[in-house]
């Protein structure tokens, strides 16, 4: 489908994918954000499953959206190149009218196999690249901008700097160069399945249907923990979907005895109705006011001053600062 509908011009294809991507990201993230962050939608029954009992400021959410916009038009470069190469016969990528009935490539079973392989290999790629950002200072200099969002909302899924997002999207170009892949299946996997799970991870809430103590999948708790506590030299839970990658390396897992997932916090009595009554839910309706987006520094992506409540040492806070270099020196 994508091969047939994509324009022959590289620029036109990139603009089309960027427009589609931005629409999908904004609509899907906005729906979840409204139901769990909008003031009149927040209830005790919902809040008691929120990992961080506090809510991010409207300015912080604005920063997430600005960074997300950067991420989108960078992330669409690899798939644009991939489509161009597939149209010119320079890659192993292919398209078919209905992959489920495409007997030449295995039909429904072929779709399932490709989907599973894309998920597993992409998850390993994401974990490996992500871990580099917490082990080596050069990579941290790019990745630390994502950790400004220590209390993320659904708008933070791809709130990355250019380099990070480009490398995260690179499998959309690399994989079809190596093995035959149906472009529609791959784009669906990344644009729908991965982004939907990304929203869950950045949701800010947990669910009783996927306990943080499950042995297989990373949960929203693990990703909140990663945003709040993983810095340079502490690559906690850099995996996206599966836990196995972090379990196989040293320092990849946060000490279980320090677990602060919602279920553990509830057992400690920290999600009571009395505690909920003290919670301040910001008025996010300012996000709908165009003047809110026109102030000085509003589009910088670093306009908010929310304070990370995670237990970091002073040295760790220096490393966690997106406005400083890997050695603690200020970046102009």
């Amino acid at each position: 489908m994508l091969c047939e509908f994509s324009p022959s011009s590289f620029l036109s294809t990139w603009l089309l994918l960027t427009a589609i991507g931005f629409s999908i990201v904004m609509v899907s993230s906005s729906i979840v954000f409204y139901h769990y962050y909008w003031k009149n939608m927040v209830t005790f029954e919902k809040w008691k499953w929120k990992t961080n009992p506090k809510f991010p400021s409207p300015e912080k959410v604005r920063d997430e959206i600005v960074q997300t916009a950067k991420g989108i038009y960078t992330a669409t470069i690899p798939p644009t190149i991939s489509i161009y190469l597939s149209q010119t016969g320079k890659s192993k990528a292919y398209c078919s009218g209905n992959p489920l009935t495409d007997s030449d490539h295995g039909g429904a079973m072929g779709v399932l196999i490709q989907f599973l392989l894309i998920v597993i290999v992409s998850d390993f790629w994401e974990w490996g690249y992500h871990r580099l950002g917490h082990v080596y200072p050069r990579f941290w200099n790019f990745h630390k901008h994502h950790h400004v969002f220590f209390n993320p909302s659904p708008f933070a899924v791809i709130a990355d700097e250019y380099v990070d997002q480009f490398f995260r999207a690179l499998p959309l170009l690399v994989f079809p160069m190596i093995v035959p892949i149906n472009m529609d299946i791959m784009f669906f996997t990344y644009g729908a399945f991965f982004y939907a799970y990304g929203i869950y991870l950045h949701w800010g809430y947990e669910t009783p249907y996927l306990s943080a103590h499950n042995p297989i999948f990373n949960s929203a708790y693990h990703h909140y923990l990663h945003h709040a506590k993983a810095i340079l030299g502490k690559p906690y839970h850099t995996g996206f979907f599966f836990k196995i990658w972090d379990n196989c390396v040293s320092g990849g897992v946060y000490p279980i005895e320090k677990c602060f997932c919602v279920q553990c916090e509830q057992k400690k009595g920290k999600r009571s109705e009395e505690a909920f009554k003290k919670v301040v839910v910001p008025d996010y309706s300012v996000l709908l006011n165009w003047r809110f987006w026109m102030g000085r520094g509003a589009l910088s992506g670093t306009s908010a001053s929310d304070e990370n409540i995670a237990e970091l040492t002073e040295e760790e806070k220096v490393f966690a600062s997106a406005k400083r270099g890997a050695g603690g020196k200020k970046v102009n």
Side-chain angles (χ1 to χ4, degrees), residues 103 147 175 177 179 196 237 263 269 289:
S103 58
H147 281 262
F175 292 0
M177 296 292 292
V179 295
H237 302 286
Q263 289 179 322
N289 187 334

Side-chain angles (χ1 to χ4, degrees), residues 1-73:
M1 183 182 298
L2 280 171
C3 298
E4 288 79 9
F5 286 101
S6 298
S8 57
S9 165
F10 181 90
L11 179 59
S12 298
T13 300
W14 175 70
L15 290 173
L16 176 63
L17 290 182
T18 300
I20 293 173
F22 187 80
S23 299
I24 293 174
V25 165
M26 286 298 108
V27 170
S28 55
S29 293
S30 295
I31 291 173
V32 177
F33 184 86
Y34 173 74
H35 282 285
Y36 288 91
Y37 286 78
W38 216 253
K39 197 165 188 176
N40 64 334
M41 298 297 290
V42 178
T43 64
F44 169 68
E45 291 303 316
K46 291 179 181 178
W47 173 85
K48 70 181 183 180
W49 289 98
K50 193 173 186 308
T51 311
N52 185 330
K54 295 184 178 181
F55 288 80
S57 69
E59 290 77 15
K60 183 63 77 174
V61 176
R62 178 180 61 191
D63 288 345
E64 290 178 339
I65 295 173
V66 170
Q67 288 295 100
T68 292
K70 290 182 183 180
I72 290 173
Y73 70 71

Side-chain angles (χ1 to χ4, degrees), residues 131-141 143-144 147 229-235 316 319-320 325-328:
R131 183 175 171 83
L132 292 177
H134 289 272
V135 174
Y136 298 103
R138 284 176 181 254
F139 287 89
W140 173 250
N141 281 337
H143 182 59
K144 64 186 177 182
H147 281 262
K229 292 181 177 290
I231 58 172
L232 180 62
K234 292 189 176 182
E316 290 171 343
F319 278 111

